[in-house]
Amino acid sequence: MARKRHFGEIDGLAVGQTFTSRKEVAEAELHLPLIAGISGGESEGADSIVMSGGYEDDEDFGDVIIYTGEGGNDPNTKRQVDHQKWDLRNQALRVSESNGLPVRVIRGAQLKSPFAPSEGYRYDGLYFVSRSWSEQGNAGFLICRFELIREDATPPVWPSRSDAQPADPGASPRVRSTIQRIIRNTQIAQDVKEIHEYTCQICGTQIQLDGRLYAEACHIKPLGRPHNGPDVPENILCLCPNCHVRFDRGAFVVSAKLEVRDRVGAEFEGVRIRTNGRHHPDARFFSYHEGLHPQDNRESQS
Amino acid sequence: MARKRHFGEIDGLAVGQTFTSRKEVAEAELHLPLIAGISGGESEGADSIVMSGGYEDDEDFGDVIIYTGEGGNDPNTKRQVDHQKWDLRNQALRVSESNGLPVRVIRGAQLKSPFAPSEGYRYDGLYFVSRSWSEQGNAGFLICRFELIREDATPPVWPSRSDAQPADPGASPRVRSTIQRIIRNTQIAQDVKEIHEYTCQICGTQIQLDGRLYAEACHIKPLGRPHNGPDVPENILCLCPNCHVRFDRGAFVVSAKLEVRDRVGAEFEGVRIRTNGRHHPDARFFSYHEGLHPQDNRESQS
């Protein structure tokens, strides 16, 4: 019988742990398939990848990986002989991208990279898929490509970038970008999004992508210091990105009757939060959220 | 005459550099005010803060800071004697939050924190404001609070978290969240958002927050490896978060006539991108973007 796919860390397994064979990797439940580079299902997402030199177009920068999807290559010569398609496990990695699901990365000694282990296979921690696209590979066929970025509380086994990688003298100057916003996800939040079929509980928008849906989970009482809101369904809303920004920044608050109070306009005033027999947000968390964003603090609090 | 406020690094100044006085800090152009903890303007945003123990409620975790806004404290006792308001420089930090503007952080020796320098003042790099809210401070008055997270290419002068901070035995288990999406900004992107008054160039949505507007800058040919799109106005769109997700994931492409091709529905098909006499996206970048997301790669590319 099929078990539910496990995303994220494996209890008892540490970053940097090594294995002598793919069979050992599978027995540790890090990456179950013995041959395929991607472990995943088209609707659930991908939970792990192995990098072991099977695709000539892979690029490895340690904390950042440009990974090639699967299909279209000759298993003997490893050269591309056909186009890759956005289906099966390539599509699984796209679902991981849309939903922010963590992907376990395992490197093998056959990988041509300064970050490959000297022998066997090594677990290198969790990454997230930040981008995916098609491009013409070295052999002239379309390949599916993914950028993965490392995001693990445990530092990697290699030294930090600033020590390891002197600036490439031929590279163009790095654009100085800053972070405007980080959207996070958790397993429980993922479940809430699925209950609502990725439909915004405030405005009803359902964002469709190619073969996937997109929504964001919003913790009503925020996770993390100093709020320490719990990661439980009662503290989570399934929102579109636009309503998520408005809620997080206090442009919306929600009453005990689950009605929106629109602080900056009339568009959403009085809208009742969509609920569902399987998911009931708790009014106490809305009350905490409203306390973080008191009305007219700007003018009259003095 | 007023100069334009400078956000981000100061050329020639390194992370870790120290100064003997606030006057020296100001002369280096790191933080111009000699007394105020926040440097910023209500509409432009805040470009730097100094942490030097002026507010009893500040909490310093190194890479993460819980910072208290200004106002309402007695300059002699440093105790809160009145509420703080969301105006002036507190509002400036909120604008930095909405726009993802980098904030230079300077720590002073008077700060009660393991991350304070032993003497004088030290530049600790760029942070971004990830959250802001009101809460009742230790003295019983409402205070304005900000979470800032370090985001600098140069490592900090203190050891990394995993080395420096053994887990607090009293703390609740850390929620395992993963990143779903990171929204970045650049100075040039910020200019494009201002030209469009934060109105989405595809759907026309303008997101209003309390006293601020919110939009995201989308690089049409992506920044970074392997695309290396340029950070120029011709390669940037001002979008609402919902249209940003759709464009980045290839649900929208844009023709040479600047018309949207909606790949998954009819809602936005044929909509013409809003332009403006001061901003003209370049059709070559839209063509590159379409190449990353070829239609029907899922079914027919074989």
Side-chain angles (χ1 to χ4, degrees):
Chain A
M1 219 181 83
R3 276 189 308 179
K4 194 169 176 186
R5 190 172 298 281
H6 176 76
F7 291 90
E9 294 169 26
I10 307 290
D11 284 339
L13 270 187
V15 165
Q17 198 160 331
T18 56
F19 305 85
T20 57
S21 67
R22 285 288 291 262
K23 187 158 172 286
E24 270 193 15
V25 170
E27 283 165 356
E29 304 196 353
L30 262 181
H31 183 89
L32 294 178
L34 290 172
I35 309 284
I38 303 169
S39 166
E42 211 172 28
S43 59
E44 308 155 281
D47 57 311
S48 57
I49 62 170
V50 172
M51 297 185 76
S52 57
Y55 289 87
E56 58 189 345
D57 298 291
D58 284 352
E59 297 173 54
D60 189 3
F61 305 99
D63 287 350
V64 179
I65 296 165
I66 310 291
Y67 189 70
T68 306
E70 66 179 28
N73 72 337
D74 182 313
N76 297 315
T77 66
K78 297 186 176 173
R79 289 186 65 83
Q80 288 300 127
V81 294
D82 199 354
H83 298 302
Q84 295 185 342
K85 298 181 203 177
W86 287 110
D87 63 4
L88 303 174
R89 290 182 286 252
N90 296 336
Q91 180 67 5
L93 271 172
R94 277 210 151 165
V95 169
S96 296
E97 175 192 10
S98 287
N99 295 332
L101 302 175
V103 179
R104 294 181 296 272
V105 169
I106 297 107
R107 284 183 175 80
Q110 289 170 292
L111 178 68
K112 291 189 190 78
S113 154
F115 303 98
S118 52
E119 52 183 12
Y121 296 87
R122 187 186 63 220
Y123 173 53
D124 282 337
L126 301 179
Y127 287 62
F128 74 104
V129 184
S130 47
R131 273 203 273 257
S132 64
W133 66 94
S134 299
E135 67 180 67
Q136 193 171 298
N138 292 335
F141 296 97
L142 278 181
I143 54 176
C144 297
R145 297 275 266 174
F146 303 90
E147 178 190 74
L148 289 95
I149 298 181
R150 193 171 191 282
E151 171 68 15
D152 200 296
T154 307
V157 298
W158 54 85
S160 72
R161 260 179 302 177
S162 51
D163 306 332
Q165 296 194 334
D168 175 354
S172 58
R174 189 166 168 272
V175 174
R176 282 179 192 163
S177 68
T178 38
I179 288 177
Q180 177 168 7
R181 193 164 154 75
I182 294 178
I183 315 302
R184 291 186 176 273
N185 202 17
T186 66
Q187 187 57 54
I188 292 165
Q190 185 61 25
D191 296 341
V192 170
K193 291 194 278 184
E194 281 162 20
I195 287 173
H196 289 281
E197 295 176 329
Y198 298 80
T199 303
C200 179
Q201 288 184 258
I202 292 180
C203 74
T205 296
Q206 188 196 47
I207 293 184
Q208 295 193 36
L209 305 174
D210 176 23
R212 299 160 288 160
L213 296 169
Y214 183 89
E216 293 173 2
C218 167
H219 285 83
I220 304 165
K221 180 179 183 177
L223 295 179
R225 285 182 301 237
H227 315 294
N228 298 319
D231 188 35
V232 296
E234 296 72 24
N235 188 34
I236 293 170
L237 290 175
C238 170
L239 298 180
C240 74
N242 285 1
C243 287
H244 192 183
V245 165
R246 290 180 178 116
F247 186 90
D248 273 357
R249 308 294 167 93
F252 291 160
V253 296
V254 175
S255 73
K257 294 180 175 170
L258 302 187
E259 286 173 354
V260 173
R261 297 282 159 254
D262 189 331
R263 291 284 182 73
V264 293
E267 193 179 354
F268 295 95
E269 177 64 28
V271 165
R272 196 170 184 284
I273 294 277
R274 286 157 195 252
T275 51
N276 181 306
R278 293 188 289 147
H279 174 228
H280 300 278
D282 188 322
R284 285 173 302 175
F285 298 126
F286 287 123
S287 168
Y288 184 93
H289 172 258
E290 184 169 356
L292 296 179
H293 302 285
Q295 193 160 26
D296 271 344
N297 198 21
R298 186 183 169 88
E299 299 297 333
S300 66
Q301 297 281 1
S302 64
Chain B
M1 220 179 84
R3 276 188 308 180
K4 195 169 175 185
R5 190 172 299 279
H6 175 76
F7 291 90
E9 295 169 25
I10 306 290
D11 284 339
L13 270 188
V15 166
Q17 198 158 331
T18 54
F19 305 87
T20 57
S21 66
R22 285 287 294 264
K23 186 158 173 285
E24 270 193 14
V25 171
E27 281 166 357
E29 303 195 356
L30 264 180
H31 184 88
L32 294 179
L34 290 173
I35 308 284
I38 303 169
S39 165
E42 209 172 28
S43 60
E44 308 155 281
D47 57 310
S48 56
I49 61 169
V50 172
M51 297 183 77
S52 57
Y55 289 87
E56 57 189 346
D57 297 290
D58 285 354
E59 297 173 52
D60 190 3
F61 305 97
D63 287 351
V64 178
I65 296 164
I66 311 292
Y67 189 70
T68 307
E70 65 179 27
N73 73 337
D74 181 313
N76 297 316
T77 66
K78 296 185 178 174
R79 289 184 65 82
Q80 288 301 127
V81 292
D82 199 354
H83 297 304
Q84 294 185 342
K85 299 182 202 178
W86 287 110
D87 62 4
L88 303 174
R89 290 181 287 252
N90 296 337
Q91 178 68 5
L93 271 172
R94 278 210 148 162
V95 169
S96 296
E97 175 191 10
S98 288
N99 295 333
L101 303 176
V103 179
R104 294 181 297 272
V105 170
I106 297 105
R107 283 182 174 81
Q110 288 169 291
L111 179 68
K112 290 189 191 76
S113 154
F115 304 98
S118 53
E119 51 182 13
Y121 295 88
R122 185 186 67 218
Y123 173 53
D124 282 337
L126 300 179
Y127 286 61
F128 75 102
V129 184
S130 47
R131 273 204 273 258
S132 63
W133 66 92
S134 298
E135 68 181 67
Q136 193 171 299
N138 291 334
F141 295 97
L142 280 180
I143 55 176
C144 297
R145 296 275 267 173
F146 303 90
E147 179 191 73
L148 288 96
I149 298 181
R150 193 172 191 280
E151 170 68 16
D152 200 298
T154 307
V157 297
W158 54 85
S160 74
R161 263 177 301 176
S162 50
D163 305 333
Q165 297 194 333
D168 176 353
S172 58
R174 190 167 166 274
V175 174
R176 282 179 190 162
S177 68
T178 39
I179 288 176
Q180 177 169 7
R181 192 165 155 75
I182 294 179
I183 315 302
R184 291 185 176 272
N185 201 20
T186 66
Q187 186 56 54
I188 292 165
Q190 185 60 25
D191 296 342
V192 170
K193 292 194 279 184
E194 280 164 19
I195 288 173
H196 290 281
E197 295 176 330
Y198 298 79
T199 303
C200 177
Q201 289 185 257
I202 292 180
C203 74
T205 296
Q206 188 196 48
I207 293 185
Q208 294 193 34
L209 305 175
D210 174 23
R212 301 160 286 160
L213 296 169
Y214 183 89
E216 293 173 1
C218 167
H219 284 85
I220 304 165
K221 180 178 183 178
L223 296 178
R225 286 181 299 237
H227 314 294
N228 298 319
D231 186 35
V232 297
E234 295 73 24
N235 187 34
I236 294 169
L237 290 175
C238 170
L239 298 180
C240 73
N242 285 1
C243 287
H244 192 185
V245 166
R246 292 179 177 116
F247 187 90
D248 273 358
R249 307 294 167 91
F252 292 160
V253 296
V254 175
S255 74
K257 292 179 176 170
L258 303 187
E259 286 174 355
V260 172
R261 297 283 158 253
D262 189 332
R263 290 283 181 73
V264 292
E267 192 180 352
F268 295 96
E269 178 63 29
V271 165
R272 196 170 185 284
I273 294 277
R274 287 157 193 251
T275 50
N276 179 307
R278 292 187 289 148
H279 174 228
H280 300 277
D282 188 322
R284 285 174 300 175
F285 298 125
F286 287 122
S287 168
Y288 183 93
H289 173 258
E290 185 168 357
L292 296 179
H293 303 284
Q295 193 158 28
D296 272 342
N297 199 23
R298 184 182 170 90
E299 300 296 333
S300 65
Q301 298 280 1
S302 64

